[in-house]
Each structure stands twice: as structure tokens, then as C-alpha cells.
Amino acid sequence: MNIRKIITMSLLSGMALGFAGCAGEEEDLFSSSAAERLEAAVKDYTEYFAANGGKWTVEYYPTNGDEAPQGLGYLMLWDFDSDNSVKVAMNNNFTNNVYKEDASVWEIIADNGPVLSFNTYNECLHAFSDPNDIPFTTGSLNDETGLGAEGDYEFIVLNLGKDAKEGMLKGKKRSVYDRIIRLPEDTDFPTYMADIKAFHNMIFPTSAPNYAQFNFGDNIYRIDEGNGGMPNVYLLGTDAIVNESRRPFIITKHDGKYYLRFRDAMKATENLTAQEFVYDEEKQLFTEVEHPELTLTGADPTTFFAANKWQWTRSAEMSETLSELYNKVYQEFRGYKFTMNNIRFVFGEDNVLTLTLSYKPSNAPQVTISFLFDYAVEGGNVTLNFKEPVVNETSNAQAVMDLIPSLSDLLAALSDTYVGEATSSKFDLTRTKIVSATNPDKWTVVTYY
């Protein structure tokens, strides 16, 4: 045999023996087996959930869909006890929109990791995994028999440590992520739920005529249908149907503040995403938790005023100057036995505002006359300029101006530059205050119709 081959084989044999010796000397990475570690994790998580009062608020989503009710977010409250009993509470369509709670059994089970299981029937939580038809949906296309709301009742536990204030759960079947946040021990569930509902309805009132909006620098997104919990979010000024984007969210309260968190993060700019917002009560807006320069607000009152229809009544709140003029016009109509009704502002196309005024002679049908204004929106202000009375077959506003001299004074006084202000909440502009930009003592409140 070639001497070189003999040397090479000897070296390889020596290396093999060396490796064998090292392998036998290496210490174990874990001091316990996988089964023992999993058993310890089950014990730890059982303690974590029930610790410090065991009360949690839960942002629960049955599925990742974008259609109601399966894709909606549902606020639930969980109260874990160390005896493995749990109370679940909620107030939504599945409870006929009344507060409801039910008790059942829970445990942490071992299944490739710790899993939170609600392993006896709970009328609140299991309403989402019940395969029967959802009772409050109607129509032939809304038969969910065999599927139900498609939700989970077992959850893989993620990111939850000892004394943690929050954690994440992952639905075992649907893989939907749900956030849980620890509540103080003295939290009263019915009071907490009522508080959240009242706040939700204040931010997204069903009667509000205006939209809310995301302000992401130069990108402003309009938020429609917020009250239902699955708003349509699309770029302001674009088509709502063509650009439809459903964004389910849940509102919670912890550490004394209200939070609005969307199920899915949305792209704010090329390098920023937005998902959770905290409410600033003083400023009446939400700021993004990690990027406070991104905000969620009500619509701009000035812009919204200059795009809709408004009614101005004699009993409305207004400054002394405008009140005196309005009442003077009213009294001059009364002098002719005419009853003057409300004044209306109708903003139309081509920057034309039509002001209409109705009055009723004592023994004749009601008469409506109209006046045209030009208007312009610029720099947060809206400027109104009286242009002319409308004279046609149905409106002879000039003749009425000749008859009621104070009407000219009122029209002249309305010709001014205004700033719009919210009267109660910036998220509800049903009643909007318009204030002269040059004279803050001249203002009035108008009502959307």
C-alpha cells in the first residue's frame, strides 16, 4: 500500500475517535426533558391567567375575513379563577345587544406548547364556534349552518409572562391573533362594558352626518360606517366602492385611557404602519401609539360645513350681533302678518351657495325665496360673499328685499370669512359653530339636515 494512503487513513481514524470522544463529553442544553418543560409551562400559565384578580379584556376576532359578522371584532371580558372556573362577559349581536355573562371551566393543556382551552360550554365564548346558523342574520345567502361564526375556543398562548399586562393568543383552528390585556382586580364588568359602548357611540355616533379620518401627512383617509365596527377606509376624495377597504377594530380601556386597535396594521406611508391609537381627551383625537404624528380625528369642521346642507333657526345659539339682525328680519315679516321660518344654507357645485328663506302669509301657501352666494375654502377658512337675489317664476327674492329692508343687512353680515368649530365632539358635526375669522364675537350654530 502506498505510504501516503497509509498516513491519510491513520489521520482520518484518529479524527473520528477524537470526535467520538467529544460527543460523549458535551453537556445537555436543557436540564429537563421536553415533557417536563411543557408540564412546567402549563403550571406557570395556569398561574399567570388567574393571578392579580384574573380579569382580562379580550380583543376577539372569529376569523380574518372582511365581512360581518365573522370578520367583526368583539370585546369580551374574561375572569379566571384558580379553581379552573372562568366567567366570560360580552354585549353584542350574539347577546341581542344586552350585557350577558356565563361561567364555565378552563384549563391550560399541553399540545405542542401551552394551549388555553375553554373545555366546557360557555354561552358567550362558544357562541362563536357553534356550527349552527347565526340567528340574527337573515336572507337565503346568510345561512351559516355547519359553520356558524367560525370562531375558536382554544388558543395557543403567546408572549405572556409572569405579571405581564398583556399577551397574545392564536386561535388553534383559525390562526387568528387576539390580544388580551390585564384589568385591575376591582374592575366591574357591566360598568366597564357600558363605558366602552358609550365611548364607542360618542366617537362613531350612528346619527352623525360626518365621517372620521386618518391624517397620515399628505395622505388623508376617510372612515365611513365606523359605528358598526368594520368601517370602510379609503383615500379621501376617491370612490368609496372602487377603493373599499374594510378595517375591523375594537376599543378597550386600560391605564385610564381609551385605545382603538385595528385587527390589521395599515400602511400609513412608505415606511410607517399604523394599528393602535390612544385617545387624547383634551384634543379630542387619537394618536398612533408608536407614531403620534399619525392621527385619527373627526372631519375638519370648516371643510365639512362648506360641503353640505345646514339649517339656521332663530332659536339657535348665536352671537348678539347676529341675533339682533335675525330677530329684526323676523319682526319685519311679522309686521306684514307673515310668519318667517328657518333659513337654510345649501352648498352646491361650482362654489355656489344658495341661501333659502321661507315665510307664510296668513291666508296663503308658504313662499320660499333664494339668494346666491359665492364661497371659497382656503387655509382652513370658508369665505361667503352675497352675490344676488334669485328672481324667477318661483322666487322673487328682490321684491322681498325691497319689502324687508333689514334682510339686506343680514345678507351683508353673513358675507364674511368663517372658521368651523365642533360644538360637542369633533366626531359629531351634526351641530357646527361657524365663527367669523375677523371678529370672534360674530358667530352662530347651524344644524345639519
Side-chain angles (χ1 to χ4, degrees):
M1 181 180 291
N2 187 294
I3 188 66
R4 181 176 295 178
K5 289 184 177 179
I6 294 173
I7 294 172
T8 301
M9 292 175 65
S10 298
L11 289 172
L12 290 172
S13 299
M15 291 173 64
L17 289 171
F19 282 127
C22 292
E25 295 170 3
E26 184 176 345
E27 295 183 3
D28 289 339
L29 292 176
F30 300 102
S31 60
S32 58
S33 68
E36 290 173 329
R37 293 195 302 274
L38 186 54
E39 182 181 353
V42 167
K43 180 177 180 296
D44 288 342
Y45 282 120
T46 301
E47 293 177 356
Y48 296 163
F49 277 103
N52 302 314
K55 294 182 178 180
W56 301 81
T57 181
V58 187
E59 298 167 357
Y60 179 84
Y61 294 92
T63 74
N64 282 317
D66 58 2
E67 293 185 5
Q70 295 90 340
L72 277 172
Y74 299 89
L75 175 65
M76 274 195 278
L77 303 177
W78 292 348
D79 185 358
F80 296 98
D81 196 287
S82 57
D83 66 0
N84 287 103
S85 65
V86 61
K87 180 174 69 177
V88 179
M90 63 186 190
N91 183 345
N92 52 50
N93 285 335
F94 285 87
T95 65
N96 294 318
N97 293 306
V98 297
Y99 177 83
K100 182 177 182 177
E101 60 183 45
D102 191 29
S104 57
V105 173
W106 72 285
E107 68 173 323
I108 300 295
I109 61 176
D111 183 8
N112 294 323
V115 171
L116 170 62
S117 176
F118 293 79
N119 46 12
T120 63
Y121 189 80
N122 187 291
E123 290 186 3
C124 291
L125 179 62
H126 286 84
F128 298 99
S129 55
D130 189 330
N132 292 323
D133 177 49
I134 300 173
F136 57 83
T137 60
T138 58
S140 59
L141 299 178
N142 293 302
D143 184 356
E144 300 87 4
T145 301
L147 295 173
E150 306 177 54
D152 274 298
Y153 62 90
E154 290 189 323
F155 309 88
I156 301 168
V157 183
L158 308 171
N159 304 327
L160 184 69
K162 184 178 181 180
D163 297 324
K165 290 187 175 181
E166 67 176 73
M168 294 297 295
L169 306 177
K170 182 181 179 182
K172 186 178 174 183
K173 184 177 181 181
R174 298 295 177 186
S175 297
V176 180
Y177 289 90
D178 300 320
R179 186 172 68 161
I180 59 173
I181 303 169
R182 190 182 292 278
L183 294 173
E185 293 184 41
D186 61 354
T187 301
D188 180 72
F189 278 6
T191 301
Y192 181 94
M193 194 69 74
D195 183 17
I196 296 299
K197 271 195 167 286
F199 180 79
H200 181 112
N201 290 332
M202 182 192 80
I203 298 301
F204 297 111
T206 55
S207 60
N210 59 291
Y211 49 85
Q213 63 186 44
F214 285 124
N215 305 295
F216 294 163
D218 294 333
N219 295 325
I220 298 178
Y221 290 84
R222 176 168 170 159
I223 305 173
D224 289 342
E225 305 167 47
N227 188 268
M230 189 180 283
N232 185 18
V233 181
Y234 56 98
L235 199 62
L236 185 65
T238 63
D239 188 272
I241 298 177
V242 173
N243 298 287
E244 183 179 53
S245 176
R246 295 293 170 177
R247 299 280 178 175
F249 69 89
I250 293 175
I251 292 175
T252 59
K253 186 178 184 181
H254 47 97
D255 300 321
K257 296 181 179 180
Y258 296 99
Y259 289 81
L260 185 155
R261 186 175 186 272
F262 289 89
R263 184 191 65 197
D264 309 307
M266 67 180 294
K267 193 171 184 178
T269 66
E270 189 64 31
N271 301 312
L272 291 180
T273 58
Q275 185 171 19
E276 184 174 18
F277 295 78
V278 58
Y279 187 65
D280 186 320
E281 188 171 357
E282 182 179 351
K283 296 180 180 178
Q284 294 188 345
L285 56 78
F286 290 87
T287 58
E288 217 278 339
V289 170
E290 296 184 3
H291 307 287
E293 70 275 17
L294 309 179
T295 62
L296 190 163
T297 69
D300 176 72
T302 302
T303 303
F304 188 73
F305 169 71
N308 287 285
K309 299 178 179 181
W310 303 90
Q311 185 165 266
W312 184 25
T313 66
R314 192 166 63 94
S315 60
E317 299 173 72
M318 66 184 81
S319 63
E320 185 177 348
T321 302
L322 289 179
S323 179
E324 288 177 356
L325 286 171
Y326 201 130
N327 278 293
K328 190 173 181 180
V329 173
Y330 179 84
Q331 293 302 329
E332 288 190 11
F333 271 103
R334 291 287 294 169
Y336 291 97
K337 300 187 183 306
F338 296 163
T339 301
M340 176 186 167
N341 295 320
N342 302 323
I343 293 174
R344 289 185 168 183
F345 298 82
V346 181
F347 288 88
E349 298 178 355
D350 301 322
N351 294 335
V352 174
L353 162 66
T354 302
L355 185 149
T356 66
L357 184 156
S358 298
Y359 63 94
K360 187 180 184 310
S362 56
N363 293 309
Q366 179 171 283
V367 178
T368 299
I369 55 175
S370 301
F371 306 88
L372 299 182
F373 285 71
D374 292 322
Y375 76 91
V377 181
E378 186 176 359
N381 298 330
V382 55
T383 300
L384 312 181
N385 282 308
F386 174 56
K387 184 178 180 181
E388 61 186 5
V390 174
V391 179
N392 54 33
E393 294 179 355
T394 59
S395 173
N396 191 344
Q398 182 61 62
V400 178
M401 287 181 67
D402 295 338
L403 190 67
I404 311 291
S406 60
L407 187 53
S408 297
D409 297 332
L410 183 62
L411 295 171
L414 290 174
S415 298
D416 202 344
T417 298
Y418 297 93
V419 176
E421 297 179 2
T423 58
S424 54
S425 165
K426 293 182 180 180
F427 290 89
D428 185 356
L429 298 179
T430 302
R431 296 172 67 251
T432 298
K433 183 178 181 179
I434 55 171
V435 184
S436 169
T438 58
N439 179 10
D441 291 328
K442 187 171 79 171
W443 57 271
T444 189
V445 174
V446 292
T447 303
Y448 178 89
Y449 78 94

